[in-house]
Amino acid sequence: MKRTWTSLLAGAALAVAMVGAVEAASLKLLTSWNKNNWPTYAVLQQYLDNVKAIGGDTVKINVQGPEVVPPFEQLQPVASGVFDMLFTHGVYHAGSKGIALVADTIDVDPLRRREAGIWDFIDKYYQKHNNLKMVTLPAASFDGYHMFLKEPLSPAGDVKGRKIRGTLSYHGVIRALGGSPVVLPGSQIYTALEKGVVDGACWPAAGMLSMKHFEVAKYRVRPTFGSSNVPVLVNLDSWNKLNDKEKGVLLAAGRRTELEMPWVGSQILAEETRELDKHGVKTLHLPPENAALVKKAWSQSLWDVTRKCCGDGADGLYKLAKNAGMTD
């Protein structure tokens, strides 16, 4: 697979080799994360670097962060054209047909996602319901999410009776291990752990270091589960104003980013793990039966959420992913 991906990277660059200089398109992008959450922001940085590498100055992207618009409120201003682009996660707009959230339970294989029609399905769904064109749907790494705790697992290998921070997509996993979900913004996790508001949190597998969670929680739970997929979406009216070369640059950069990021993200996680070891963070392993519960709960809960938010698309997308052998 690695050799196939490499050949496609070269093809992605050639796909946008066009003749003729044009004035650079300038687009305003709204991101749900700042650089202080580097393992996730790294996906956007990879995309921006690829836009530059493939297109030069053909497209210029001005990035503005969650201090301008909070993550859970970002979809509408992009869909309405106040901003041109959005880098986010589907769970942040699950109530507004955020079907991309369920990509987190679909295997990390960008080639097969496209071949199976999964990528096109999600793209067309956003166009229909949100006036948004998807240009990339990268997985941040091969490892998606984990739970980290202030205290070790119980002797039974669970978190029964504990309060665990998690957005809607994590609730199935938290309950499967006996915990009670507490919904808090990611920016409040550190303080909530410090003050005892929660006993642990679910979060992307990489991020304890950049967010300094290791200062208030010394235990990370393995195995990880799912994958973290963070799309870049473009306001459809802004998209339609771009010429073919500009569109080609954005799409080719998106394809390249999807192929690169699982490897890049896994390297970021490996480097973070080594640093966390130095800070005294211990790794806890779930018993096999609990690990199986987590895997099942993750997939089931995400598909359940998707059916509630996106009933007109969830079944069709599930059929594509299931037929391709890419989801439970």
Side-chain angles (χ1 to χ4, degrees), residues 107-127:
D107 290 351
V108 179
D109 188 331
L111 300 181
R112 288 178 63 209
R113 287 181 178 188
R114 288 177 179 261
E115 291 167 356
I118 292 167
W119 197 100
D120 285 338
F121 189 101
I122 295 173
D123 172 32
K124 290 175 182 176
Y125 194 85
Y126 273 98
Q127 290 188 47

Side-chain angles (χ1 to χ4, degrees), residues 156-175:
D158 59 28
V159 293
K160 188 174 181 179
R162 299 190 215 180
K163 295 171 291 184
I164 307 296
R165 177 271 174 190
T167 51
L168 184 62
S169 58
Y170 295 115
H171 289 189
V173 168
I174 294 169
R175 291 191 176 105

Side-chain angles (χ1 to χ4, degrees), residues 206-281:
M208 282 190 79
L209 189 65
S210 59
M211 299 292 285
K212 298 189 181 298
H213 293 148
F214 66 89
E215 295 179 350
V216 287
K218 290 294 186 181
Y219 300 93
R220 57 184 175 234
V221 180
R222 294 293 182 269
T224 59
F225 51 91
S227 62
S228 176
N229 295 266
V230 279
V232 175
L233 304 159
V234 183
N235 173 275
L236 197 54
D237 300 315
S238 298
W239 174 259
N240 289 333
K241 292 176 184 176
L242 299 175
N243 62 39
D244 288 344
K245 181 176 182 180
E246 292 159 351
K247 291 177 181 177
V249 168
L250 294 178
L251 289 171
R255 183 182 287 267
R256 175 181 285 188
T257 302
E258 290 172 9
L259 296 170
E260 293 172 336
M261 264 321 297
W263 307 96
V264 173
S266 292
Q267 181 62 34
I268 290 172
L269 177 59
E271 292 169 359
E272 175 173 308
T273 298
R274 288 192 288 271
E275 287 301 310
L276 290 175
D277 288 344
K278 296 176 184 178
H279 288 288
V281 177

Side-chain angles (χ1 to χ4, degrees), residues 29 44 47 85-88 133-138 230-234:
L29 182 146
L44 176 60
Y47 180 72
M85 302 178 72
L86 176 63
F87 173 60
T88 190
K133 162 70 182 173
M134 189 171 74
V135 291
T136 189
L137 183 62
V230 279
V232 175
L233 304 159
V234 183

